[in-house]
Amino acid sequence: MSFPLLTATAVLPAVGAIVTAAVPAARRTTAKWMALGFSLATFALAVLVVARFEPNGDRYQLVESHSWIKDFGVRYELGVDGIGVVLIALTALLVPFVILAGWHDADPLENSSSRWRPTQGFFALILMVEAMVILSFEATDVFLFYILFEAMLIPMYFLIGGFGDRAHSGSDAAAATQRSYAAVKFLLYNLVGGLIMLAAVIGLYVVAGSFSLNEIAEARASGELDMATNTERLLFLGFFFAFAIKAPLWPLHTWLPNAMGEATAPVAVLITAVVDKVGTFAMLRFCLQLFPEASKWATPVIVVLALISIVYGALLAVGQRDIKRLIAYASISHFGFIILGIFAMTSQGQSGATLYMVNHGISTAALMLVAGFLITRRGSRLIADYGGVQKVAPVLAGTFLVGGLSTLSLPGLSPFVSEFLVLVGTFARYPVAGIIATSGIVLAALYVLVLYQRTMTGPVKDEVRGMPDLRPRELAVITPLIALLLFFGVFPKPLTDIVNPAVEHTMSDVEKKDPRPDVEAAK
Amino acid sequence: MENLIALLIAAPLLGAAVLLCGGRRFDRVGHLLGTALAATSFVIGAALFANMLTKSVDDRALHQKLFNWIDVGGFQADIAFQLDQLSITFVLLISGVGTLIHVYSIGYMEHDERRRRFFGYLNLFLAAMLLLVLADNYLLLYFGWEGVGLASYLLIGFWQHKPSAATAAKKAFLVNRVGDIGLSIAIMLMFTTFGTFAFGPVLGSVGETSEGMLTAIGLMLLLAACGKSAQVPLQSWLGDAMEGPTPVSALIHAATMVTAGVYLIVRSGAIFNAAPDAQLVVVIVGAVTLMFGAIVGCAKDDIKKALAGSTMSQIGYMILAAGLGPIGYVFAIMHLVTHGFFKAGLFLGAGSVMHGMNDEVDMRKYGGLRKYMPVTFVTFGLGYLAIIGFPGLSGFFSKDMIIEAAFAKGGTEGWILGSITLLGAAITAFYMTRVMLMTFFGEKRWQPDAEGHLPHPHESPKSMTIPMIILAFGSVFAGGFFSIGDRFLNWLEPVTGWDHGHAPISATTVTAATVVALLLGVSIAWVMYGRKARPVPVVAPRGSVLTRAARRDLLQDDFNHVVLVRGGEHLTRSLVYVDHTLVDGVVNGTAASVGGLSGRLRKLQNGYARSYAVSMFGGTAVLIAATLLMRAV
Amino acid sequence: MSPVNYLYLAALLFTIGATGVLLRRNAIVVFMCIELMLNACNLALVAFSRMHGNLDGQIIAFFTMVVAAAEVVVGLAIIVSLFRSRHSASVDDASLMKL
């Protein structure tokens, strides 16, 4: 038996979490370096996974399969396709930056004499989330996936509720209330989704007699398993509902701005760039593969909801006063694009959506982390409290602008490629939807540039004077991210080569073909 | 030879990268490096041009494919370049004028502590603009298109500490983005229609699709062109863009970037030729903007804004010519090139005047400057003569051609367009004469600046005057050089095609009419602003309704403000409210009702063991009863 | 005599016990009523054993007696400690089970 690479990639951060948590209270710095080391080692393993992966080989590779709960046919089954591989790489890539950016976010306050070890806990929780997210990208057993889908809520809950943003406008007590409100809201929303999904998972087992994605898909393809139309639709809705909350899709989105606003910037990145991706990923992997007919049936409604998300999220982002909530609403708009791409059911749409997940991860991380650096300096999240930062801290302002430009999908930065693919893919199938979604590019420019203008330009505000520019640690976080944005903007081929074959599989699952160009079709 | 094409773009791109990321250690050499790399680009362009001249007419286009950019399903985009007669014309204009303006900026920006960054942005602009004209497919063109938009944004807002500059920059980017929707949709339409968006295949297979589809693509391209080239209804950003440093206005907002829309339409000529409806709209947009810009230019007292109105109007000429189809394509480009010379020269002259006048921009506070700034006066004057179409100078040839082409469109349409272009020529002569008179002639109307210093006008340094002199040469001779023996026509015709049209009146008549219009405009301006008996007031008179409207850009901004800005603010605010109360409220309401219900249920748990026992007995009794009942049934 | 009569008696005893548990407040009395109910069940079990002619019912009755003895031990201990802490043997005084 070969080395279980996938398991190792997921277990390593989990081990790291335990080790980090066990570091004595006085050795905070050791714990930080340890967490960083483990996350980097995980990244190395993820690179190995990418290297071992043959884009044009079998659909699922590096497969591991063990019996787990025999009586219910639950198996510990792992395997990755091209979509999973790039998302594992994204997760493993972002976590070291998250850790580095949050280096001081969980230092105990100077006057605190608590014996509790917040620093160790913070980094251990981050690693735990990483482990679960990676494993959920690998799981090909529905039940295993479900467990991880739910279990990752626990560390996330503590990260949001336990380590809030220290920059807040009200009193400490008010901040604590808001924080716990945000954490509970996050938990409840996702638990409700999870509960409905659990029902659907059980229902699936009753109907199909198995939890294995491959077995069910094969049985469906060969005609052995014939689901009644209504059953399939109900099961699809059960799964989709949970994923739409996690993703999040309008109108199930309201937990995200609270959670991202109250959490520290690195945790906010973890939420939107890593954890939420599980939702969109699962739509591609489970909804389309297990319930192709129902997916096609629900497409019109989902496309409309995605369009609403795009426009609505962008409009609300324009109206925000809080930097982090603004970015959160921008993310809602972007998730609309991702979901639109998935359900456009064209290869451009789905490849674009997968790339979008990666690029949105990198670009939001860049923007949010710089915003976090900014907020830490001034101690306020309100846009109105800033002005003229550009004059005082030009590098910070410059990186913030690049992050913003990537958010508005400027060509040359990687999000452009994915956004344009999604738009083209959608347009080819639903021209009107494509045109409406295209209008989102103006709104994106609006919220990004208004944010930049109000915070960075204009006369220097007194409170901003003397603000230090980016420190070496912060530069180490932001430079690689920007380099990646530029690289994949001009040369996205490494990503598309991995993703394209996987998307072809998905397309054949739903038995859809790209619309042919009019000129060819006429011949 | 084709391998050089990428170098054209790479040189300024390298400059941008080094200057923007290199940090302070490049402060002392940054401007020299930036200028040298711009000049490198021009030299390479000239070499490619020379090489092209040696080849036969059919063999002049060069192609270079660097690598495959995006490849998903049938969606194929390459980073690949196409250099033909049309592109090289632009390359020479962009890198040539670009280099001159780099040189000019060395002096103009000498005292700005962020000069290195300014040159970085200028280099970035050059790279993006060259990419725009060299791309061999629409998606790559879009890349350059947005790249110049970014550079324009950064440069308009270069003096970011001024809120007005930051706002103008944002406005320019946003309005351009509206146009970009058009370009995006055009590319999508091409992809769904032809399965590709590379120039060759798309323009080559135009005949295989319906006219309706081509009209749609054409209109979308026009929308894009309107945004970038400041055409009605997306023109409002150009006036505000004058907040940027003057060299930027000269390079980006006069000579090169704003003409990208003309390039797009001429490049997509095959599509427009097959879609007469789209062409008609193009012509209308051009004609309306021509008049719009001219009227606005007449009323502005800010020298740069007056010139901006003029730019808008001149580009209206080009768009109109491009909308005429093969009759006009060549002349649109020819006017574009000559306009590049004289308008850049005029802007640099304006910059030179401002440089000597403590950055005062109000022409009512100039006057009598010809004695103090002789070089500026002469070069500006030559540019002025060129733009109004003084016989023998560049503008005369190129504008005359467009007016002829407009008549040659034939029928009523030809007469209407011809008259509009003639009227436009008269107004151009009027407002440019006004600028000239108010600035260089008449009494001194100098006012002390905010700190109480009276300006001491002086000639600008050599680094600024030399580019002005070179551009003045271009303004004088380019038109004649292009027209002798139809050089420009023969050069571009293989790419754009050419058609005589059917002129209802002879070329001589048109020329005569043009000269009459010109004289009319100049003399009206002389009567109003030139006579000693009627000095120009320092404070602007109230003026007629039209003047007041024109000062406010014909109320377009007010419309935008009321409808888009205010309306948008209300929309977002109400949406924030809806999100908080309605969408979130439904969820919170559900939570609250569940909570209320459980609160009531909780009262059943009173803690008395006996009442629990009752419910246990009761429950058991019910169960037993049910069982017996089921048995009985 | 028909064994059915024993069942009637058992039902009667059970009802008396149940009523006592539900209505009386004194913990000792409640406790005794519970014993009464248990013994009613025992009686029924023995009666059924007789009716069906096998010994299962009688065996279960023995089990019940053993468990009841154990329960008496624990129950009395609880009642005594409650009485010590509250100086009352009324079941309604101990309503700590509510939220």
Side-chain angles (χ1 to χ4, degrees), chain B residues 16-249:
Chain B
V18 169
L19 295 180
L20 294 179
C21 307
R24 296 194 181 283
R25 75 199 80 132
F26 287 100
D27 269 356
R28 286 179 54 211
V29 293
H31 49 284
L32 299 177
L33 184 70
T35 312
L37 285 167
T40 311
S41 219
F42 178 68
V43 171
I44 298 172
L48 284 165
F49 177 64
N51 176 259
M52 198 180 272
L53 282 177
T54 61
K55 290 187 185 168
S56 74
V57 172
D58 303 325
D59 195 25
R60 281 181 170 163
L62 289 176
H63 294 271
Q64 180 187 15
K65 181 181 165 181
L66 281 189
F67 54 86
N68 187 236
W69 181 22
I70 305 175
D71 165 19
V72 174
F75 190 92
Q76 298 280 344
D78 291 334
I79 302 270
F81 306 119
Q82 171 184 338
L83 187 78
D84 58 6
Q85 289 92 324
L86 183 59
S87 331
I88 193 80
T89 310
F90 272 89
V91 166
L92 290 177
L93 176 74
I94 295 160
S95 59
V97 176
T99 308
L100 290 177
I101 283 169
H102 273 76
V103 174
Y104 179 90
S105 306
I106 294 177
Y108 192 83
M109 300 298 284
E110 193 170 3
H111 303 295
D112 196 300
E113 54 179 348
R114 290 158 73 234
R115 183 164 68 164
R116 168 178 58 85
R117 197 180 303 187
F118 182 79
F119 277 84
Y121 292 159
L122 277 186
N123 271 217
L124 180 67
F125 169 75
L126 279 190
M129 190 71 203
L130 288 169
L131 178 65
L132 194 163
V133 298
L134 286 170
D136 93 327
N137 62 67
Y138 282 96
L139 196 68
L140 195 59
L141 181 144
Y142 187 39
F143 190 163
W145 189 267
E146 290 271 301
V148 291
L150 170 68
S152 159
Y153 169 78
L154 293 169
L155 284 165
I156 295 173
F158 186 73
W159 287 316
Q160 290 182 325
H161 51 92
K162 287 200 299 189
S164 58
T167 309
K170 182 187 71 182
K171 183 173 173 187
F173 197 95
L174 283 177
V175 176
N176 270 296
R177 273 251 148 170
V178 176
D180 294 345
I181 292 182
L183 191 49
S184 298
I185 294 177
I187 296 174
M188 293 176 206
L189 281 171
M190 286 174 201
F191 177 69
T192 51
T193 311
F194 303 108
T196 175
F197 37 78
F199 289 151
V202 168
L203 301 175
S205 48
V206 160
E208 289 169 37
T209 185
S210 66
E211 192 188 313
M213 180 55 73
L214 291 172
T215 308
I217 296 177
L219 289 178
M220 286 298 125
L221 290 174
L222 175 65
L223 179 62
C226 283
K228 199 56 85 190
S229 294
Q231 299 295 294
V232 174
L234 298 178
Q235 86 295 357
S236 64
W237 63 273
L238 188 64
D240 294 348
M242 297 300 129
E243 287 288 342
T246 308
V248 172
S249 314

Side-chain angles (χ1 to χ4, degrees), chain B residues 239-537:
Chain B
D240 294 348
M242 297 300 129
E243 287 288 342
T246 308
V248 172
S249 314
L251 177 61
I252 300 183
H253 305 119
T256 55
M257 185 189 86
V258 285
T259 58
V262 183
Y263 172 78
L264 183 68
I265 293 178
V266 174
R267 178 57 87 192
S268 317
I271 294 174
F272 284 95
N273 292 344
D277 292 345
Q279 269 186 330
L280 182 65
V281 182
V282 174
V283 170
I284 293 172
V285 165
V288 169
T289 315
L290 191 170
M291 296 308 292
F292 187 105
I295 294 170
V296 169
C298 292
K300 292 283 183 186
D301 289 330
D302 179 326
I303 185 169
K304 285 178 74 180
K305 292 201 171 166
L307 289 176
S310 155
T311 304
M312 217 184 273
S313 165
Q314 298 301 314
I315 296 171
Y317 269 106
M318 299 171 209
I319 295 277
L320 187 149
L324 294 173
I327 315 172
Y329 290 141
V330 174
F331 306 122
I333 300 296
M334 184 163 141
H335 193 54
L336 191 156
V337 175
T338 55
H339 175 259
F341 285 121
F342 56 69
K343 188 53 69 64
L346 287 170
F347 264 110
L348 293 190
S352 174
V353 170
M354 286 159 56
H355 201 65
M357 293 291 287
N358 295 350
D359 288 330
E360 178 60 63
V361 289
D362 189 348
M363 293 188 290
R364 294 188 183 276
K365 297 174 184 167
Y366 292 166
L369 288 174
R370 65 182 183 282
K371 291 178 204 134
Y372 301 89
M373 304 176 134
V375 181
T376 306
F377 169 62
V378 172
T379 53
F380 195 92
L382 290 172
Y384 153 74
L385 291 176
I387 192 174
I388 63 171
F390 192 80
L393 272 69
S394 289
F396 168 74
F397 291 104
S398 51
K399 198 184 287 178
D400 193 49
M401 295 293 188
I402 292 181
I403 298 173
E404 275 175 36
F407 278 112
K409 178 76 180 171
T412 333
E413 210 186 318
W415 281 106
I416 296 173
L417 294 175
S419 323
I420 290 177
T421 48
L422 269 180
L423 184 60
I427 304 179
T428 308
F430 170 78
Y431 65 72
M432 283 314 297
T433 312
R434 173 175 176 267
V435 168
M436 196 68 195
L437 291 174
M438 283 173 87
T439 306
F440 291 103
F441 294 89
E443 297 299 313
K444 297 178 200 169
R445 299 180 302 274
W446 309 344
Q447 304 290 319
D449 64 6
E451 284 139 32
H453 303 298
L454 261 184
H456 296 284
H458 53 83
E459 192 50 86
S460 298
K462 283 253 162 49
S463 66
M464 288 169 69
T465 51
I466 290 173
M468 285 154 62
I469 294 169
I470 297 175
L471 286 171
F473 261 95
S475 315
V476 175
F477 299 113
F481 178 77
F482 290 157
S483 296
I484 294 168
D486 290 335
R487 280 195 183 119
F488 204 76
L489 181 61
N490 295 336
W491 171 249
L492 275 188
E493 199 204 328
V495 183
T496 59
W498 188 57
D499 182 8
H500 278 287
H502 12 261
I505 43 175
S506 73
T508 331
T509 324
V510 173
T511 310
T514 316
V515 175
V516 171
L518 153 74
L519 291 175
L520 201 68
V522 172
S523 36
I524 295 176
W526 169 257
V527 170
M528 286 178 66
Y529 298 96
R531 287 178 305 156
K532 281 237 161 68
R534 258 187 71 181
V536 180

